[in-house]
Amino acid sequence: MELRAATGEDADAIADIWYRGWADGHEGNVPDGLHEHRQEAHFLALTSSRIASSAVAVVDHQVVGFVTVRVDEIEELYVDVSARGSGVATALLSHGEGIIANGYDLAWLAVVEGNARARQFYERCGWVNGGASEYLAETSTGTFAVPILRYDKRVRSTA
């Protein structure tokens, strides 16, 4: 596996992994109407603005996952189903934590409450459930309130 900075050439692969992963992790965990707004074109449109703050995992010349860091947040972390359980997610998460540690002591991320698989993964990696909150997902026809949990992790020692 190779971890490297994302490039514009990775946009289609990132959008595809993001679209399929989002659907998988959010099915039944977000308001029903939100799914109709989260089609592949939506993720492709968002990807280009996030390339500069993303890294990809590549196996056999194929992008199999990505992480996007925004300030002190792991904004996105998705791995193709073919690479789950292979260590790709752990490597991407660790990479993102390292980026955040260059400027912040504490990192955070949001996960939908019902995504038990993701929550268990983050907890195994040392992240702590900081409590319930709400993410306002904007669409072309309105806003959906999505129940989330905020997870935190100290990524840099303050000593």
Side-chain angles (χ1 to χ4, degrees):
M1 176 186 54
E2 170 194 6
L3 288 181
R4 63 168 173 76
T7 70
E9 293 177 2
D10 301 318
D12 288 341
I14 290 170
D16 181 59
I17 291 167
W18 193 2
Y19 165 67
R20 288 184 290 114
W22 188 91
D24 182 39
H26 291 77
E27 184 69 40
N29 297 317
V30 297
D32 291 336
L34 184 56
H35 283 278
E36 69 186 63
H37 297 280
R38 296 302 190 250
Q39 299 302 312
E40 196 160 7
H42 166 80
F43 294 100
L44 187 57
L46 291 178
T47 297
S48 62
S49 67
R50 289 164 167 78
I51 290 289
S53 57
S54 297
V56 294
V58 179
V59 174
D60 294 330
H61 308 289
Q62 297 291 321
V63 173
V64 296
F66 74 98
V67 63
T68 303
V69 174
R70 182 169 56 173
V71 189
D72 59 346
E73 176 190 8
I74 301 288
E75 183 180 45
E76 309 297 342
L77 174 65
Y78 286 92
V79 174
D80 187 76
V81 68
S82 69
R84 289 184 186 163
S86 68
V88 168
T90 302
L92 286 167
L93 183 60
S94 180
H95 180 78
E97 291 169 2
I99 291 169
I100 294 169
N102 284 325
Y104 300 89
D105 298 332
L106 192 68
W108 73 278
L109 58 82
V111 61
V112 291
E113 265 186 82
N115 190 342
R117 185 183 69 241
R119 292 176 56 197
Q120 290 167 357
F121 167 72
Y122 293 129
E123 290 167 10
R124 280 193 315 270
C125 292
W127 289 75
V128 177
N129 182 343
S133 188
E134 203 172 67
Y135 172 77
L136 298 178
E138 294 184 25
T139 70
S140 59
T141 61
T143 302
F144 291 84
V146 179
I148 62 153
L149 296 172
R150 176 187 166 123
Y151 275 73
D152 299 298
K153 184 176 182 182
R154 182 155 307 283
V155 292
R156 182 173 63 180
S157 174
T158 57

